[in-house]
C-alpha cells in the first residue's frame, strides 16, 4: 500500500512555507503558462498512448498527484512521505513501465501498476534521484489537457447576496480554455492594455475520471477522479463589457489549478470544505462549500444532460463571498502587479500566484 503524507500535512493559510520562485523564468515577469503549455499540447496524442480514453478501470484511491515541469515538459508527480516522486524518472530507474503525465492516468493507465511502482520507489534506494522536496518542486497545472474547462457563476448563497442579484434557478455555466491553465508558484501577466479591474476567486475544482452522459445525481460522485484548488482569476471590466462572461475569464494564465490533485476517496464530504483567499497575507475570502446553491452532484448531473463528460474534464464550481467585485464600489481596490494571491481549500492545500505587469 502506498503510504502518503497524511492530509493534515497539507499546509493552509498565509503562514504556509512559500515555494521558491520557479527557475523556469528567463526574465522577471515572464509569462507563466502559455509557452510551456503550447509546447506540451502540440505533441501528437492518440488514445493508445493515453490509455483507453474512458478513464482508469478503477479510480485510484489514497493518492495525491501533481504535475512537475521538467525539460520543457509536464511530467507526473505523486506526493509521498519521501517527497514528490517524479514517476517517469522512477520508472526508468527501476525499469518498470510508468505513465509520463497526469493525462496518461486520467485516460486509463493501470493504477494498480502505478501503485506498485510508487511502493517500489519509496522502498528502493535506486530511485532516490526521482524524489524532490515539496518546497523545491517545480509544479505545473495539476491537470494539463482537459477537453473541457467548465465554470460556474453565482453558485454561493452569500456571494449572490453580496452581488445583489436573483438566486439562479439552474447552474450558470461558462468556459475557459487551456491557454488559461496555470500552476502553484506561477505568474499571471496582467493584460493591462485591455483591462484594469483584476479580481480573485477561490474555487473548488472537480476533476472527472470516467466518461458519462445523463448521469443520475445519486451516482454523480462515482465519476469524480479527484479535487483540487482553483483560482478563477478575472478581469471584471472585460467580464461585463458584454452580456457574456468569457472575455474577462480567459486571458493567459487566468485558471491556476493545484498544486495537488487529491483522489476523491480522501474527501468524504465535498460539501463541507473550508475555502479561503489571502492577498499579500490579508484574508479576503473565508467560506465553506456548504454554502453552494448547486452542489457537486447536481452540477455533474446537470452538465451531463447537455454534453458527454470525459476523463480530465474539470469543473470550477463557483466562488463564495468576499470578492473585490462584491465590495461596495467606493471601497474597491483592484489587484495589481506585485500582489501575491493564495487560494486555499481544506484538505487540498494552498495555491499561490504572483501578479506581474503586462510584457511589451
Amino acid at each position: 500500500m502506498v503510504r502518503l503524507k497524511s492530509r493534515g500535512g497539507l499546509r493552509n493559510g498565509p503562514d504556509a512555507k512559500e515555494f521558491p520562485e520557479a527557475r523556469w523564468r528567463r526574465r522577471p515577469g515572464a509569462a507563466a503558462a502559455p509557452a510551456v503549455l503550447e509546447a506540451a499540447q502540440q505533441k501528437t496524442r492518440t488514445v493508445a498512448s493515453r490509455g483507453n480514453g474512458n478513464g482508469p478501470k478503477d479510480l485510484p484511491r489514497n493518492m495525491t498527484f501533481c504535475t512537475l515541469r521538467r525539460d520543457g515538459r509536464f511530467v507526473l508527480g505523486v506526493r509521498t512521505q519521501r517527497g514528490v516522486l517524479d514517476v517517469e524518472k522512477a520508472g526508468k530507474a527501476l525499469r518498470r513501465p510508468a505513465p509520463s503525465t497526469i493525462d496518461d492516468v486520467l485516460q486509463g493507465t493501470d493504477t494498480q501498476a502505478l501503485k506498485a511502482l510508487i511502493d517500489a520507489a519509496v522502498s528502493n534506494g535506486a530511485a532516490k534521484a526521482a524524489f524532490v522536496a515539496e518546497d523545491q518542486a517545480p509544479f505545473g497545472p495539476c491537470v494539463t489537457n482537459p477537453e473541457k474547462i467548465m465554470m460556474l457563476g453565482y453558485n454561493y448563497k452569500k456571494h449572490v447576496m453580496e452581488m445583489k442579484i436573483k438566486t439562479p434557478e439552474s447552474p450558470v455555466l461558462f468556459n475557459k480554455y487551456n491557454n488559461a491553465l496555470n500552476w502553484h508558484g506561477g505568474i499571471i501577466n496582467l493584460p493591462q492594455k485591455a483591462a484594469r479591474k483584476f479580481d480573485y476567486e477561490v474555487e473548488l475544482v472537480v476533476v472527472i475520471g470516467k466518461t458519462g452522459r445523463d448521469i443520475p445525481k445519486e451516482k454523480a460522485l462515482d465519476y469524480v477522479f479527484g479535487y483540487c484548488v482553483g483560482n478563477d482569476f478575472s478581469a471584471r471590466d472585460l467580464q461585463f463589457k458584454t452580456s457574456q462572461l468569457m472575455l474577462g475569464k480567459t486571458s493567459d494564465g487566468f485558471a491556476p489549478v493545484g498544486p495537488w490533485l487529491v483522489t476523491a476517496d480522501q474527501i468524504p464530504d465535498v460539501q463541507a470544505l473550508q475555502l479561503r483567499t489571502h492577498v499579500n497575507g490579508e484574508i479576503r475570502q473565508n467560506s465553506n462549500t456548504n454554502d453552494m446553491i448547486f452542489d457537486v452532484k447536481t452540477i455533474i448531473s446537470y452538465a451531463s444532460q447537455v454534453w458527454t463528460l470525459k476523463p480530465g474534464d474539470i469543473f470550477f464550481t463557483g466562488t463564495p463571498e468576499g470578492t473585490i467585485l462584491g465590495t461596495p464600489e467606493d471601497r474597491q481596490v483592484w489587484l495589481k502587479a506585485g500582489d501575491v494571491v493564495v487560494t486555499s481549500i481544506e484538505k487540498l492545500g494552498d495555491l499561490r500566484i504572483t501578479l506581474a505587469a503586462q510584457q511589451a
Side-chain angles (χ1 to χ4, degrees):
M1 187 63 150
V2 180
R3 294 183 58 207
L4 302 179
K5 187 176 289 188
S6 68
R7 296 194 301 271
L10 287 171
R11 296 183 297 275
N12 288 301
D15 297 327
K17 183 176 180 182
E18 293 288 354
F19 287 79
E21 289 302 320
R23 297 174 182 172
W24 54 270
R25 286 184 290 168
R26 294 193 177 112
R27 60 188 187 280
V36 179
L37 282 168
E38 183 178 357
Q41 291 168 354
Q42 282 178 347
K43 293 181 179 180
T44 302
R45 291 173 176 250
T46 65
V47 171
S49 69
R50 299 168 61 199
N52 58 30
N54 293 318
K57 180 180 179 182
D58 298 306
L59 293 179
R61 297 179 60 82
N62 194 33
M63 300 181 75
T64 299
F65 296 96
C66 67
T67 291
L68 301 173
R69 289 174 288 112
R70 176 165 58 77
D71 303 327
R73 299 186 298 125
F74 291 143
V75 296
L76 178 65
V78 175
R79 196 182 199 199
T80 79
Q81 71 268 28
R82 290 187 59 181
V84 179
L85 177 67
D86 183 322
V87 174
E88 186 181 64
K89 277 188 176 181
K92 291 178 180 178
L94 300 176
R95 298 182 180 180
R96 289 172 175 253
S100 294
T101 67
I102 187 62
D103 199 44
D104 291 339
V105 178
L106 288 163
Q107 299 303 326
T109 293
D110 180 359
T111 56
Q112 295 304 313
L114 175 58
K115 282 187 176 183
L117 169 62
I118 298 166
D119 281 339
V122 168
S123 61
N124 192 324
K128 182 179 180 180
F131 290 93
V132 60
E134 288 183 14
D135 62 356
Q136 299 294 320
F139 288 103
C142 64
V143 178
T144 57
N145 192 39
E147 181 183 88
K148 295 181 282 294
I149 301 177
M150 297 161 283
M151 315 293 298
L152 263 78
Y154 311 118
N155 194 35
Y156 279 74
K157 299 169 189 174
K158 292 177 184 176
H159 180 50
V160 167
M161 291 172 61
E162 75 175 356
M163 292 299 299
K164 298 179 174 60
I165 62 174
K166 182 180 178 182
T167 300
E169 297 180 359
S170 59
V172 178
L173 291 166
F174 59 99
N175 66 294
K176 292 200 182 196
Y177 300 107
N178 285 4
N179 70 294
L181 289 172
N182 208 329
W183 50 73
H184 173 68
I187 291 175
I188 295 177
N189 293 122
L190 301 174
Q192 294 165 314
K193 293 179 181 178
R196 285 290 183 270
K197 297 181 178 181
F198 301 107
D199 204 352
Y200 50 77
E201 292 190 6
V202 61
E203 303 207 10
L204 171 72
V205 175
V206 179
V207 181
I208 298 298
K210 297 193 296 185
T211 299
R213 182 71 191 265
D214 296 322
I215 300 169
K217 183 177 176 180
E218 61 273 15
K219 294 184 178 180
L221 296 186
D222 295 342
Y223 288 78
V224 176
F225 181 96
Y227 304 98
C228 64
V229 183
N231 182 350
D232 176 16
F233 199 82
S234 305
R236 300 302 192 184
D237 35 0
L238 294 180
Q239 178 179 334
F240 295 109
K241 193 170 185 177
T242 70
S243 61
Q244 303 298 316
L245 301 179
M246 187 192 73
L247 187 63
K249 300 285 192 173
T250 55
S251 290
D252 296 339
F254 270 32
V257 288
W260 311 110
L261 173 52
V262 178
T263 53
D265 64 292
Q266 299 181 71
I267 310 298
D269 186 355
V270 72
Q271 302 303 150
L273 298 176
Q274 200 73 17
L275 308 91
R276 294 186 177 91
T277 296
H278 290 82
V279 177
N280 303 326
E282 176 189 357
I283 192 163
R284 298 290 186 88
Q285 292 182 283
N286 186 9
S287 188
N288 195 288
T289 56
N290 63 18
D291 193 48
M292 282 186 184
I293 297 169
F294 304 104
D295 62 14
V296 171
K297 293 186 290 187
T298 300
I299 294 166
I300 292 171
S301 178
Y302 178 85
S304 75
Q305 296 171 38
V306 184
W307 52 69
T308 300
L309 298 181
K310 295 182 180 179
D313 285 349
I314 60 178
F315 283 98
F316 281 66
T317 56
T319 199
E321 77 279 8
T323 61
I324 300 173
L325 181 64
T327 303
E329 190 169 350
D330 61 348
R331 290 165 44 201
Q332 290 176 342
V333 179
W334 302 102
L335 297 175
K336 63 185 182 307
D339 286 343
V340 177
V341 181
V342 179
T343 47
S344 308
I345 300 180
E346 178 185 358
K347 297 182 171 65
L348 302 180
D350 304 328
L351 171 63
R352 175 173 52 85
I353 289 292
T354 301
L355 309 184
Q358 183 172 12
Q359 299 198 7

